[in-house]
Amino acid sequence: MGNFDAFETKMTAAGMGDAAIRAFLRNYEALLRNETGMIPEESISPAQGLASFDEIATSGDVDPMLLSQAVVIKLNGGLGTGMGLQGPKSLLAVRDGVNFLDLMVRQILDLRKTSGANVRLLLMNSFSTSADTLAHLEKYTSQGLADASEVELMQNQIPKIDATTYQPVEWPADPDLEWCPPGHGDLYPALVGSGWLDRLLAEGVKYAFVSNSDNLGAILDPAILSYFARSGAPFLMEVTRRTAADRKGGHLAVRKSDGRLLLREVAQCPDADADAFQDIDRHQYFNTNSLWLRLDLLKSQLAADSGVLPLPMIRNNKTVDPRDKKSTAVVQLEIAMGAAIECFEGAAAIDVPRSRFAPVKTTGDLLALRSDAYEVLDDGQVRLAASRNGVPPNIVLSDDYKLVDQLDPLGVPSLLNCDSLKISGPVHFNDGVVIEGEVEIKNTTPERMIVSSGIYKNQAMGL
């Protein structure tokens, strides 16, 4: 079982470079060894004594020299299919026709204007998002952000594996479905294989800030950049405190054997350790997937690891056609970007406020973002209203609102003082609706329930 040559031939024919092929084959070998990647509780200690953003944040001047040595890399490979979109999630309108991508560009242009430094922007696009993203960027041509050769880092693609034969799956009905993305851990082989790592270093770029394109709280903060530069660390992960809602999500820990930081996901936790895994007082921090990299030290580490960072392999069992559960069973291999924290001697983490972790994963998140609970500033920054003290409203919408276009008939109420809002069934908010405290609205009829203007506070209502 297993055929390295078949995978290498297929990836080479599709134009994948040596770095991508070697990263895939390393994970394929791990699959054949049936590696589980389990991290028992007895082998780790809780992460403690981390630097705090509040301690390092300063109102001092931005150092143009540091900013001129920085690149912002946004992971922009995702489609918004889960929310009913046909294209890149980053083209989703936040409000008034302004989308995620526009906000990213505004942030970079503002940094350039205020500092005088040529802060660079790279978008790690996938084959699915490249064309639409670059077309949207054409309106920024005069500001140097439109040409693909200046802004695009192309994500690799890897073969899906037939779950029975462990050969490259074949699907003549739609050969595109024979491929899948390798997860955001592909950042490292993509930087190498595209030539971008060497190019950035040659141009004097030393620091990279990497984050998800749908995390509107993740902006290049000069205070963190200064801290990272002073620290000399090769790798810095932004983490934030876990809450009850984060119990089942991965957490940061320290490996006892060598004292290195690592990430443990729920799939890597033995069943017997589930209680400890979900103990948010013991394991207090989770990865926001915002990372800072020293590019020269990344190159050195890659050389020490024969060109491939030894990231833990993540196995996903799927069907070759995700819409057809009767189609051929496949294995998709992924690697996670943040898992690289264990690959670097001296890697560190910083405790940041929750405001730097504001991903838009659901239409509930989007409704909150479109409301007055958030402020969208001219410089592209998005932040919670100050009166909310860093706590976003908890919005839970029924499947009636799973898709973005189903949100439009709902309307946008004031959520400035809303703690939680639950909506089930067809509802419409008239202008002037103010939601405060905890409110639940349930409509069990097919007719849309109209909520008239007024203040609704700590109550349940419905039809």
Side-chain angles (χ1 to χ4, degrees):
M1 187 167 63
N3 187 337
F4 296 100
D5 292 342
F7 287 103
E8 185 170 2
T9 300
K10 181 165 184 165
M11 293 182 73
T12 301
M16 297 298 103
D18 182 61
I21 292 171
R22 282 187 291 133
F24 172 80
L25 292 182
R26 181 189 179 279
N27 292 319
Y28 183 61
E29 288 176 333
L31 176 71
L32 296 182
R33 290 194 300 269
N34 200 28
E35 286 190 6
T36 63
M38 287 294 174
I39 303 173
E41 186 67 24
E42 63 185 12
S43 69
I44 59 175
S45 302
Q48 296 175 324
L50 303 183
S52 166
F53 176 81
D54 293 336
E55 295 169 2
I56 64 120
T58 65
S59 56
D61 294 333
V62 175
D63 183 348
M65 182 60 69
L66 277 182
L67 285 169
S68 67
Q69 298 173 16
V71 59
V72 173
I73 303 177
K74 289 288 186 177
L75 306 180
N76 192 52
L79 297 171
T81 49
M83 298 168 73
L85 301 176
Q86 300 302 313
K89 190 176 181 181
S90 60
L91 298 186
L92 175 62
V94 176
R95 56 175 75 165
D96 302 328
V98 177
N99 59 37
F100 293 70
L101 186 56
D102 293 321
L103 294 175
M104 289 180 236
V105 171
R106 284 185 187 180
Q107 291 166 17
I108 295 297
L109 296 179
D110 182 73
L111 277 171
R112 290 180 179 179
K113 180 180 178 181
T114 56
S115 69
N118 182 33
V119 183
R120 291 161 178 79
L121 172 67
L122 273 184
L123 298 169
M124 185 166 155
N125 290 331
S126 66
F127 291 90
S128 301
T129 63
S130 176
D132 288 343
T133 298
L134 295 177
H136 186 81
L137 283 178
E138 286 181 0
K139 66 180 182 178
Y140 297 105
T141 300
S142 62
Q143 290 136 317
L145 285 171
D147 187 61
S149 65
E150 296 299 321
V151 297
E152 184 166 70
L153 168 64
M154 183 61 78
Q155 178 179 300
N156 294 301
Q157 56 180 353
I158 58 175
K160 296 178 183 178
I161 303 165
D162 188 304
T164 302
T165 66
Y166 279 40
Q167 300 295 308
V169 74
E170 295 183 5
W171 197 249
D174 187 351
D176 287 346
L177 292 178
E178 297 174 4
W179 299 86
C180 62
H184 39 62
D186 182 55
L187 170 70
Y188 310 109
L191 276 170
V192 174
S194 65
W196 265 112
L197 181 58
D198 286 337
R199 176 181 169 182
L200 289 168
L201 288 169
E203 293 176 0
V205 179
K206 193 174 180 181
Y207 308 101
F209 173 59
V210 190
S211 62
N212 293 338
S213 65
D214 68 352
N215 181 3
L216 296 179
I219 60 171
L220 190 158
D221 189 294
I224 302 180
L225 174 59
S226 296
Y227 169 79
F228 181 49
R230 290 194 309 270
S231 75
F235 185 105
L236 181 69
M237 173 183 288
E238 293 190 25
V239 299
T240 196
R241 295 294 178 109
R242 295 167 87 200
T243 66
D246 307 313
R247 286 194 326 272
K248 296 183 179 179
H251 65 80
L252 188 68
V254 178
R255 187 162 51 207
K256 290 180 179 178
S257 62
D258 58 10
R260 289 197 182 188
L261 291 168
L262 58 78
L263 285 179
R264 181 171 68 161
E265 302 294 341
V266 67
Q268 297 170 298
C269 177
D271 291 343
D273 295 331
D275 288 345
F277 182 94
Q278 296 187 32
D279 185 344
I280 62 173
D281 293 319
R282 175 172 171 79
H283 296 296
Q284 297 183 351
Y285 302 102
F286 75 87
N287 171 27
T288 66
N289 222 35
S290 294
L291 307 176
W292 298 78
L293 306 172
R294 267 279 298 272
L295 295 179
D296 54 337
L297 298 181
L298 170 62
K299 182 167 184 176
S300 299
Q301 189 63 49
L302 283 163
D305 289 325
S306 303
V308 180
L309 293 181
L311 303 179
M313 178 269 292
I314 302 169
R315 171 179 178 151
N316 289 310
N317 298 315
K318 308 270 189 177
T319 54
V320 65
D321 184 345
R323 295 156 300 189
D324 181 2
K325 300 307 176 187
K326 295 181 180 179
S327 61
T328 304
V330 296
V331 176
Q332 296 181 196
L333 302 183
E334 285 188 27
I335 45 178
M337 179 176 76
I341 195 168
E342 67 181 74
C343 300
F344 294 89
E345 182 70 39
I350 182 170
D351 180 7
V352 300
R354 192 85 180 204
S355 58
R356 286 187 63 79
F357 182 66
V360 179
K361 300 297 185 186
T362 67
T363 50
D365 297 333
L366 185 60
L367 178 63
L369 183 63
R370 289 176 171 176
S371 79
D372 55 1
Y374 285 86
E375 300 171 330
V376 178
L377 308 183
D378 291 339
D379 63 4
Q381 292 191 43
V382 176
R383 63 188 182 197
L384 277 167
S387 62
R388 297 201 59 87
N389 296 314
V391 181
N394 180 29
I395 311 298
V396 179
L397 304 179
S398 65
D399 284 347
D400 303 272
Y401 307 98
K402 186 176 181 180
L403 308 181
V404 171
D405 60 6
Q406 294 172 320
L407 268 188
D408 295 335
L410 179 62
V412 183
S414 168
L415 299 175
L416 182 63
N417 297 309
C418 169
D419 295 324
S420 72
L421 173 62
K422 296 181 179 180
I423 303 174
S424 178
V427 172
H428 171 73
F429 294 109
N430 281 342
D431 292 342
V433 171
V434 178
I435 304 295
E436 297 185 349
E438 299 183 0
V439 172
E440 181 171 1
I441 302 172
K442 184 179 293 187
N443 179 14
T444 57
T445 76
E447 281 197 36
R448 192 169 297 277
M449 173 182 169
I450 306 299
V451 181
S452 302
S453 60
I455 298 174
Y456 300 84
K457 183 174 182 177
N458 294 329
Q459 65 188 88
M461 51 198 290
L463 294 175

